[in-house]
Amino acid sequence: KRLEARNINLTDDGINRLSNAIDKAEKRGGKESLVMVDDLAFIVNVRDRMVVTALDSKNRGEGVFTQIDSVVFADPSDINQNSSINIEK
C-alpha cells in the first residue's frame, strides 16, 4: 500500500534485489535497515521482512533517516532468486 500511495513500482528484479539486501542485513545483525535500490530508499524491519517506508528521489523529504542501524546497497549483481519479502504492490 505504501508503494502504491507513493506511486513506486518495483520490478521482479527490484523485489529480488531488495529481498537479498534484507538477507545481508539479517546476517550482519541489522534490525531496522535503510535499503537503497537504485534511486529508491526503503526502511525495512529486517526481522519481519517488511517495508516500513518507501521513498523515491522526488519524495524523500529532507533526506534524513533516523532510527536505523544499518544501510545496504542492493546491487544488481546480488540477486538471490530464493528470497522472500512482505511487500504489497
Side-chain angles (χ1 to χ4, degrees):
K1 291 181 180 181
R2 290 181 190 269
L3 298 181
E4 284 180 5
R6 298 210 167 122
N7 202 24
I8 295 174
N9 296 309
L10 269 181
T11 63
D12 288 342
D13 175 66
I15 292 170
N16 286 331
R17 289 170 58 195
L18 177 59
S19 182
N20 191 49
I22 294 170
D23 291 341
K24 286 181 177 181
E26 186 174 38
K27 287 178 186 174
R28 295 287 190 130
K31 294 179 175 75
E32 294 288 329
S33 296
L34 168 63
V35 178
M36 300 297 302
V37 180
D38 300 326
D39 65 342
L40 302 173
F42 299 91
I43 303 295
V44 178
N45 178 305
V46 175
R47 182 176 50 95
D48 295 336
R49 301 186 66 80
M50 184 170 297
V51 174
V52 177
T53 302
L55 303 164
D56 62 13
S57 60
K58 298 174 190 169
N59 299 307
R60 62 180 178 203
E62 294 178 5
V64 176
F65 300 95
T66 60
Q67 299 180 355
I68 60 170
D69 58 25
S70 52
V71 176
V72 183
F73 292 95
D75 296 322
S77 61
D78 294 339
I79 298 174
N80 178 352
Q81 299 292 335
N82 297 323
S83 297
S84 65
I85 183 171
N86 296 324
I87 192 166
E88 296 179 15
K89 285 188 173 182

